[in-house]
Amino acid sequence: MVGELKISGFSNYLHPVDNESILAVGQEARDGRAVGLQVSMFNVSDPRNASLQARYTVEEDDDNWSSSEAQFEHKAFRYLARQQMLILPARISGEDTFDGFLIFDVNKTHIEPNFNITHTRSYQGCNYNAYLQARSIVINEQVTTFKGHTIKNHNLTTRDLIWDADLDKNLTKEDCVWYL
């Protein structure tokens, strides 16, 4: 081991930004217990003296829990180096419920929320396993996000919704398959 850095929490996914920086996604922890999704920027220019440069914790109270598919699936993570932007699928459960994508402005010293993209189902009458994995693509300053049963397209600069598709839009109770 070349060096070590003691911090609270842990990182599930590490993404190299350049030769000096690593962007990380994981959980903040308190008293040995994970308390919420966190995004961190580490300076690793000197591996013997790595340092935490910036951190943002999504939720860290006892009434909510937050996580991201990017903690366990690298394809869900989207970092845009030129725009210094992170697109991260997230779920917050508890008093404040959210399911969608968190968009962050990220540089070597700051991580700040920019905007959120909510993905919800229009029909809640039944659950089934046909769903889209959390993914995002960016083309011409537009981000298209896929999650669950919805697809959304937003302008990254104005944050405006350009179009969306709800795959459950015309779903009825008769369309559900019930297992005994």
Side-chain angles (χ1 to χ4, degrees), residues 107-170:
N107 64 41
K108 292 184 180 188
T109 60
H110 291 31
I111 300 170
E112 298 293 330
N114 185 319
F115 71 102
N116 298 344
I117 299 172
T118 301
H119 280 254
T120 57
R121 294 172 59 184
S122 62
Y123 181 71
Q124 300 291 332
C126 67
N127 291 314
Y128 54 97
N129 290 328
Y131 61 93
L132 299 169
Q133 298 292 321
R135 301 289 188 267
S136 63
I137 59 173
V138 176
I139 300 171
N140 297 330
E141 301 299 319
Q142 292 181 15
V143 60
T144 303
T145 54
F146 308 81
K147 190 170 188 188
H149 298 251
T150 56
I151 305 168
K152 296 191 175 196
N153 180 275
H154 286 78
N155 182 298
L156 279 174
T157 304
T158 65
R159 305 176 186 166
D160 292 335
L161 175 67
I162 298 169
W163 61 266
D164 65 346
D166 183 343
L167 303 180
D168 293 341
K169 184 176 182 181
N170 297 315

Side-chain angles (χ1 to χ4, degrees), residues 10-13 23-27 37-39 68 70-71 77 88:
F10 57 90
S11 298
N12 298 90
Y13 178 70
L23 187 57
V25 177
Q27 290 286 314
L37 177 65
Q38 57 87 3
V39 179
S68 173
Q71 291 178 248
F77 182 95
L88 200 62

Side-chain angles (χ1 to χ4, degrees), residues 1 4-5 11 13 24 32 36-37 41 48 50 56 61 66-67 69 75 79 88 101 114 130 138 143-144 152 167-168:
M1 179 173 12
E4 93 181 88
L5 175 64
S11 298
Y13 178 70
L37 177 65
M41 181 69 78
R48 289 180 176 79
Y56 182 84
D61 61 45
S66 54
S67 63
E69 289 91 334
K75 295 175 191 168
Y79 175 67
L88 200 62
F101 287 78
N114 185 319
V138 176
V143 60
T144 303
K152 296 191 175 196
L167 303 180
D168 293 341

Side-chain angles (χ1 to χ4, degrees), residues 28-41:
E28 177 61 282
R30 184 174 53 241
D31 301 322
R33 186 175 72 84
V35 295
L37 177 65
Q38 57 87 3
V39 179
S40 302
M41 181 69 78

Side-chain angles (χ1 to χ4, degrees), residues 41-111:
M41 181 69 78
F42 296 99
N43 180 329
V44 293
S45 58
D46 177 2
R48 289 180 176 79
N49 296 304
S51 62
L52 176 65
Q53 295 298 302
R55 175 173 277 182
Y56 182 84
T57 302
V58 174
E59 292 293 332
E60 57 180 317
D61 61 45
D62 293 333
D63 296 329
N64 293 301
W65 169 257
S66 54
S67 63
S68 173
E69 289 91 334
Q71 291 178 248
F72 308 101
E73 172 56 77
H74 71 277
K75 295 175 191 168
F77 182 95
R78 172 89 45 219
Y79 175 67
L80 307 173
R82 187 173 57 81
Q83 293 95 333
Q84 294 187 319
M85 199 172 275
L86 173 64
I87 303 168
L88 200 62
R91 169 169 273 157
I92 301 171
S93 301
E95 193 174 296
D96 299 322
T97 301
F98 172 81
D99 191 16
F101 287 78
L102 305 175
I103 315 299
F104 294 95
D105 292 323
V106 177
N107 64 41
K108 292 184 180 188
T109 60
H110 291 31
I111 300 170

